[in-house]
Amino acid sequence: MSTPPRRRPGGRNAAVRLAVAHAVLSYLEQGQPDFSVADVAARAGVHRATVYRRWPTRAALLGEALSLQYSRVTVPMTGDFVADLRTLSHRLAHYLAEPVLRTVNGMAIADSEPGFGALVNTHWEPVKQRMTEMIEAGIRNGQLRRDTDPDAIIRLLVGPLLMTPLFTQAGATQEQIDQTADAILRAFLARP
Amino acid sequence: MSTPPRRRPGGRNAAVRLAVAHAVLSYLEQGQPDFSVADVAARAGVHRATVYRRWPTRAALLGEALSLQYSRVTVPMTGDFVADLRTLSHRLAHYLAEPVLRTVNGMAIADSEPGFGALVNTHWEPVKQRMTEMIEAGIRNGQLRRDTDPDAIIRLLVGPLLMTPLFTQAGATQEQIDQTADAILRAFLARP
């Protein structure tokens, strides 16, 4: 009697991708962005030939890692802009202070890897799009001023929350996060 | 008849310091932070032994350059907070988009030079102090809410204006600068 082969359509592919992404993220988390394709294969426990075939360059590996990393930001959409902004501000602050993001942003800013800044912007774009939708919902339901530019709110939210972890070893404090959200609400609510 | 020696007390010293600071800034402006002490001496037109004696390390040279660079931000203090904030927002946006600052911030964030992040923070501190005084004057004269935390305004001003030049090749646009200042005024004026 032979055991029939276990069938996991897409399962093995997905598991390999996840293992590779996690291996790259672990290098970034340790502030070691100068890994090689072979390093990643070893750490992921995936055959080196497989990694070379599917992610032939460091850029491809970094793209796989950024896909996973940026998919982790979930933007709330409860229909109440005040609650959503407060939730988002805490999630973003936590997220932007992660060691992986510090390394990724440092690489993007220092432009140490050709094209990496553009790669980061590409992966940031869907997150920004979801935040824009959250803000547009607030304009539509009348909570936000009708002349609100979603980009202005995004810059006022992300800028301060990003600055602290970029220039210090710490993330924004709870008080700093709340001050940022409070100021945005006072500035943009239709009836503050 | 002999000409008496020209006396410039402090003049020669000051000229040498300025030449050295400008040479370092020119390397940073060109995105070449890996200059040597000898490179700077050559570019400044100062004897190499003088440079080695007075600025023995790259850190000392970078400190001299940052002193000059950060002294360029003048914080307005006319007594009208609204006018002062608008003036400051445009000056800061222009300043933060300078190529020198892009290199300096990239180095600080990537932590490529031991202790450089701390050096940048040290030189940024007096600028922040002057901004704090400008905001405190606005609280005292009743233009700003009495519960205003100067740090919150500084983060909301600098964060967005810094984010654009860090992640793109461009500085903040006039519209982005005005949106940032407008939002801060709506959020913090005592009677918006």
Side-chain angles (χ1 to χ4, degrees):
Chain A
M1 255 174 65
S2 67
T3 320
R6 262 170 63 202
R7 298 195 57 203
R8 292 185 303 174
R12 177 153 173 74
N13 250 338
V16 167
R17 282 186 62 182
L18 208 58
V20 164
H22 276 296
V24 174
L25 289 178
S26 73
Y27 279 109
L28 297 178
E29 189 166 6
Q30 290 160 11
Q32 296 171 352
D34 51 346
F35 55 82
S36 68
V37 179
D39 290 335
V40 169
R43 191 171 283 191
V46 173
H47 201 287
R48 198 184 287 194
T50 306
V51 177
Y52 275 112
R53 191 175 61 245
R54 297 183 48 187
W55 298 273
T57 60
R58 278 171 47 83
L61 285 171
L62 287 164
E64 191 64 55
L66 292 181
S67 283
L68 176 59
Q69 178 69 18
Y70 282 82
S71 70
R72 287 178 181 160
V73 195
T74 48
V75 175
M77 275 286 253
T78 66
D80 176 8
F81 181 80
V82 175
D84 285 352
L85 182 76
R86 293 196 184 284
T87 305
L88 178 63
S89 64
H90 282 268
R91 280 189 197 159
L92 268 181
H94 183 80
Y95 179 78
L96 293 168
E98 286 180 11
V100 168
L101 259 282
R102 265 187 61 88
T103 306
V104 164
N105 286 326
M107 289 168 72
I109 291 162
D111 223 3
S112 52
E113 188 94 8
F116 187 67
L119 192 66
V120 169
N121 284 337
T122 303
H123 282 85
W124 173 249
E125 202 51 49
V127 180
K128 204 179 141 197
Q129 183 53 39
R130 294 197 295 276
M131 294 196 283
T132 302
E133 285 160 18
M134 182 191 105
I135 297 164
E136 284 172 347
I139 301 172
R140 272 199 309 277
N141 75 12
Q143 285 183 285
L144 290 174
R145 295 160 57 109
R146 284 170 55 192
D147 65 355
T148 298
D149 177 354
D151 275 1
I153 292 190
I154 293 171
R155 283 194 307 274
L156 284 159
L157 182 64
V158 176
L161 298 182
L162 184 64
M163 201 172 64
T164 307
L166 280 184
F167 286 95
T168 70
Q169 298 302 316
T173 65
Q174 299 297 309
E175 189 190 11
Q176 289 174 347
I177 299 167
D178 289 334
Q179 283 177 331
T180 305
D182 287 344
I184 290 172
L185 293 173
R186 290 203 304 273
F188 292 96
L189 283 187
R191 293 167 294 276
Chain B
M1 256 177 61
S2 67
T3 320
R6 263 169 63 201
R7 299 193 58 205
R8 292 186 302 173
R12 177 152 173 72
N13 249 338
V16 167
R17 282 186 61 181
L18 208 58
V20 164
H22 276 297
V24 173
L25 290 178
S26 73
Y27 279 109
L28 297 177
E29 189 166 6
Q30 291 160 11
Q32 296 170 350
D34 51 346
F35 56 82
S36 67
V37 178
D39 289 335
V40 169
R43 191 171 282 191
V46 173
H47 201 286
R48 197 185 288 194
T50 307
V51 177
Y52 274 111
R53 192 174 62 245
R54 296 182 52 187
W55 297 275
T57 60
R58 279 172 45 84
L61 285 171
L62 287 165
E64 190 65 54
L66 291 181
S67 283
L68 177 59
Q69 178 68 17
Y70 282 81
S71 70
R72 287 177 182 162
V73 194
T74 48
V75 175
M77 275 287 252
T78 66
D80 176 8
F81 180 80
V82 175
D84 284 353
L85 182 76
R86 293 196 185 284
T87 305
L88 178 62
S89 64
H90 282 268
R91 280 188 196 160
L92 268 181
H94 183 79
Y95 179 77
L96 294 168
E98 286 180 12
V100 167
L101 259 282
R102 265 187 62 86
T103 306
V104 164
N105 286 326
M107 289 168 71
I109 291 163
D111 223 3
S112 52
E113 188 96 7
F116 187 68
L119 191 67
V120 168
N121 284 337
T122 303
H123 282 86
W124 173 249
E125 202 51 48
V127 180
K128 204 180 141 194
Q129 182 53 40
R130 294 198 295 276
M131 293 196 283
T132 301
E133 286 160 16
M134 182 191 106
I135 296 164
E136 284 172 346
I139 300 172
R140 273 199 309 277
N141 75 12
Q143 285 183 284
L144 290 175
R145 296 160 57 108
R146 284 170 56 192
D147 64 354
T148 298
D149 177 354
D151 275 0
I153 293 190
I154 293 171
R155 284 194 307 275
L156 284 159
L157 181 64
V158 176
L161 297 182
L162 184 63
M163 201 172 63
T164 308
L166 279 184
F167 286 94
T168 69
Q169 299 303 315
T173 64
Q174 299 296 309
E175 189 190 11
Q176 290 174 346
I177 299 167
D178 289 334
Q179 284 178 330
T180 304
D182 287 344
I184 290 173
L185 293 173
R186 289 203 304 273
F188 291 96
L189 284 186
R191 292 167 295 277

